[in-house]
Amino acid sequence: MIVVAGEALIDLVPVAGPPGALVPRAGGGPYNTALALGRLGARVAFCSRVSTDGFGGTLLAGLRAAGVDLSLVQRGPEPTTLAVPSLAPDGSAAYGFYVEGTADRLFALPGALPPGTRALALGTCSLVLEPGASAYEALLRRESARGLLTLLDPNIRPALIADPAAYRARFLSWLPYVGVLKLSEEDAAWLGGRPEEWLAAGPSAVVLTRGAAGLAVWTRRGERFAADARRVSVVDTIGAGDTVNAALLHRLAGSPTEIDAAVDWPGVLAYAAHAAALTCTRPGAEPPYAAELSG
């Protein structure tokens, strides 16, 4: 079992049509990661707090259809968080958020995770917005101490970070509890560090996504591997990084917390690049199914 913890929200995605036309689509980095894992055929549970409003029902229905275990989902009457992506000509997205008083911010530390849980993934807004952020942080520390493989995707959203210096310091405090750190080139530039520095602080591997330039990994063993991006017609990049998270976890969840020499990193990265490329061919966060990656 892989547990993905963090926010579920609604992306209001720009579409062709009248000026300002927006279509609601299920989203949130952790939500997309859980959905992608389910579609890839992994045993996965989603751990979050989701609104009882109509959007919340839609979010859970999407996970349920992908076979995601919802037993760790908390519910609340507060509204669902909304995100409004602005798309650049190359399909990349920047985000604005409506987060005040929303349900996912009130997440509480859960009890024991399901028996057989081997990995935990966290990231994005859930590690920024209090009081939930402290509960997610406590979950990371607790499960790392239990020996789970942990993956952290900071997925930086500057519009949500009121005190960048404090966030950067907090990010560094998480690294001793992280097995795999995955981040984009933009995240790395904002955080102001290098893979070698982060490895020294705790993770066994750092995976960097580089858009059209593909992916690369640095390991604590001093290795570096890379994979090219798949060439596709990009509709948008929404959910591509989250799909990378899912692909990494799907291939690594059987590994020990200390990622060892047995990992086929070139193969893992190529698989993640393929999955992310397929996501980019569709509007919104629509990760692929396992059958689409079999060729």
Side-chain angles (χ1 to χ4, degrees):
M1 173 75 77
I2 300 168
V3 173
V4 183
E7 79 279 356
L9 53 78
I10 293 294
D11 286 323
L12 298 177
V13 181
V15 294
L22 301 170
V23 171
R25 296 188 184 276
Y31 178 92
N32 296 337
T33 298
L35 180 71
L37 277 163
R39 290 184 176 185
L40 292 175
R43 289 186 62 238
V44 55
F46 187 54
C47 181
S48 184
R49 191 171 188 275
V50 176
S51 176
T52 55
D53 66 13
F55 282 144
T58 297
L59 289 163
L60 294 186
L63 293 176
R64 195 175 292 113
V68 177
D69 183 329
L70 302 179
S71 61
L72 295 172
V73 173
Q74 306 163 22
R75 304 298 301 274
E78 302 81 14
T80 298
T81 294
L82 302 178
V84 184
S86 300
L87 301 180
D90 65 355
S92 61
Y95 293 84
F97 293 91
Y98 296 86
V99 298
E100 292 303 319
T102 51
D104 53 88
R105 296 188 67 165
L106 300 180
F107 173 79
L109 180 66
L113 298 185
T117 298
R118 300 184 64 87
L120 170 70
L122 301 101
T124 318
C125 310
S126 55
L127 286 167
V128 176
L129 300 172
E130 294 290 4
S134 291
Y136 285 113
E137 180 177 320
L139 180 63
L140 170 66
R141 294 172 185 265
R142 185 185 81 188
E143 299 306 320
S144 175
R146 290 183 55 240
L148 264 64
L149 171 67
T150 56
L151 180 144
L152 172 67
D153 176 12
N155 204 4
I156 301 298
R157 301 293 184 231
L160 292 177
I161 300 174
D163 187 339
Y167 178 88
R168 291 181 179 108
R170 194 173 188 181
F171 164 76
L172 293 175
S173 78
W174 298 327
L175 296 184
Y177 306 95
V178 173
V180 178
L181 172 64
K182 175 266 174 183
L183 68 175
S184 68
E185 285 186 314
E186 294 80 7
D187 295 336
W190 190 92
L191 289 165
R194 296 183 299 108
E196 295 83 359
E197 296 169 357
W198 297 321
L199 284 170
S204 295
V206 174
V207 176
L208 189 68
T209 60
R210 305 179 296 172
L215 302 88
V217 63
W218 288 255
T219 76
R220 193 183 294 170
R221 295 170 58 88
E223 303 161 317
R224 182 181 182 277
F225 303 99
D228 293 332
R230 293 258 181 151
R231 302 302 172 187
V232 295
S233 179
V234 176
V235 174
D236 64 49
T237 63
I238 298 171
D242 310 321
T243 302
V244 169
N245 293 341
L248 293 173
L249 285 165
H250 191 38
R251 288 297 178 92
L252 295 174
S255 299
T257 304
E258 180 74 25
I259 302 297
D260 60 26
V263 174
D264 172 21
W265 277 113
V268 171
L269 294 181
Y271 179 74
H274 189 186
L278 291 175
T279 303
C280 291
T281 65
R282 304 158 178 170
E286 286 292 342
Y289 293 85
E292 298 177 84
L293 295 166
S294 60

